[in-house]
Amino acid sequence: MWVSVTLETDAAHADTLSDALMAAGAISVSVEDARAGTDLETPQFGEPDASGGGPATPLWSESRVVALFDPSEDLIGRIAAATVAAGIDNLPEIELDEVAEQDWVRLTQAQFDPIRVNERLWIVPSWHAAPDTSAINLVLDPGLAFGTGSHPTTFLCLQWLCDTLCGGETVLDYGCGSGILGIAAARLGAASVLGVDIDDNALIAARDNAANNRVTLALRHSREKLDEQFDIVVANILTNPLCVLAPLLAGRIAPGGRIALAGVLALQADQVIAAYAPLVALRVGAEREGWVRLEGTRC
């Protein structure tokens, strides 16, 4: 059995309280919107600001901090000490709930079913049998990097690759994450695929996933030089980084080549289109659950 501990605090103390609870022996800590599910809920996308710094929006002004502990007689005292260490003067109300022992691996796996992109392409977790053996089945496990095909932005990019690739193209997957887009491109007939990411863990996940799917991806850290041009450029990141990267990404499109950008909310589309306008004309190609895919062709 485990004990789930819930406290509410403000944005100024949420991170320090999380750290203090971990120091007090918490197995895990998460921070949530204390007003989630109400009209006061505030969505967060973790997007950096335009300068490339921290998130453009702070944590929720009213945050719920949830920590998981082993049960112990001194648990309340440890929590109280953590709040003091976090600089909280008055002990907030503490909610304790018992959490039954579970098969966490099986529970996690149950959240990931095969995903049908279209009649050609499926994303299949390794513990599932392929629903359609005649289709292209990408074997992908949730790991250290974003990208299992379930998010609308990833799905939009996968659809675009299915519709765009004819075979023999060179492909750049910028912000490759788990490698899902690059792997899909390789399985769809691309001649070569380069995946680039800022995160070393993402590059590890992409390498392993490519090996599991028996395809070859060239992988490169974003700090390394990138001056090649590609028939196909795809980047599933977020609006501010995409705007900052406009000269780099537009410059990587070969003459007559095509680009698709995702990670853009519908209300942010004009901002990204404007950032790329001097370089390549973009348009909204598709929308899914409030997210859009922007597409363009270099003349």
Side-chain angles (χ1 to χ4, degrees):
M1 184 189 74
W2 309 91
V3 178
S4 174
V5 177
T6 303
L7 308 92
E8 290 193 12
T9 187
D10 55 26
H13 293 95
D15 282 338
T16 53
L17 179 57
S18 299
D19 292 340
L21 289 169
M22 290 297 292
I27 298 166
S28 65
V29 179
S30 63
V31 181
E32 308 167 355
D33 186 354
R35 300 297 170 255
T38 73
D39 292 340
L40 300 177
E41 180 177 1
T42 304
Q44 293 271 6
F45 299 100
E47 183 167 0
D49 61 28
S51 66
T57 52
L59 288 174
W60 302 279
S61 58
E62 297 179 76
S63 297
R64 180 184 297 115
V65 180
V66 183
L68 191 65
F69 282 89
D70 281 314
S72 66
E73 293 182 359
D74 65 339
L75 182 56
I76 295 296
R78 290 157 62 193
I79 296 168
T83 62
V84 172
I88 299 173
D89 295 329
N90 299 315
L91 182 66
E93 181 178 346
I94 302 172
E95 180 182 333
L96 302 178
D97 294 294
E98 293 185 356
V99 179
E101 190 69 53
Q102 300 187 57
D103 184 340
W104 297 106
V105 172
R106 181 170 296 179
L107 185 64
T108 300
Q109 290 181 347
Q111 300 175 35
F112 296 93
D113 290 324
I115 298 168
R116 182 182 183 271
V117 179
N118 58 22
E119 67 280 356
R120 295 181 65 193
L121 183 66
W122 284 77
I123 311 300
V124 184
S126 63
W127 54 84
H128 277 281
D132 181 1
T133 56
S134 65
I136 296 172
N137 292 283
L138 305 188
V139 178
L140 196 76
D141 290 347
L144 297 173
F146 172 83
T148 60
S150 59
H151 194 274
T153 63
T154 311
F155 192 91
L156 287 169
C157 290
L158 289 169
Q159 285 188 322
W160 184 78
L161 288 171
C162 285
D163 294 339
T164 303
L165 288 171
C166 299
E169 296 91 346
T170 57
V171 176
L172 170 64
D173 176 10
Y174 199 94
C176 63
S178 67
I180 182 172
L181 300 181
I183 294 167
R187 292 291 308 275
L188 289 164
S192 64
V193 181
L194 173 63
V196 176
D197 206 281
I198 195 172
D199 184 355
D200 290 327
N201 286 330
L203 296 174
I204 292 170
R207 178 199 65 199
D208 293 344
N209 285 324
N212 290 339
N213 284 274
R214 300 181 181 179
V215 299
T216 299
L217 295 186
L219 295 168
R220 189 179 302 174
H221 196 281
S222 58
R223 73 171 73 93
E224 299 177 50
K225 186 176 181 180
L226 178 64
D227 54 12
E228 304 98 313
Q229 291 190 324
F230 303 83
D231 301 316
I232 300 292
V233 175
V234 59
N236 181 21
I237 316 177
L238 284 169
T239 289
N240 283 331
L242 286 173
C243 290
V244 171
L245 290 165
L248 172 67
L249 295 180
R252 305 284 66 76
I253 313 169
R258 301 177 67 179
I259 186 170
L261 305 177
V264 180
L265 292 167
L267 54 82
Q268 299 170 324
D270 289 343
Q271 178 185 347
V272 181
I273 290 171
Y276 282 76
L279 307 162
V280 60
L282 298 178
R283 63 179 181 83
V284 175
E287 180 174 348
R288 185 179 178 89
E289 298 177 26
W291 299 87
V292 296
R293 182 183 70 227
L294 302 178
E295 307 169 10
T297 302
R298 181 177 176 185
C299 298

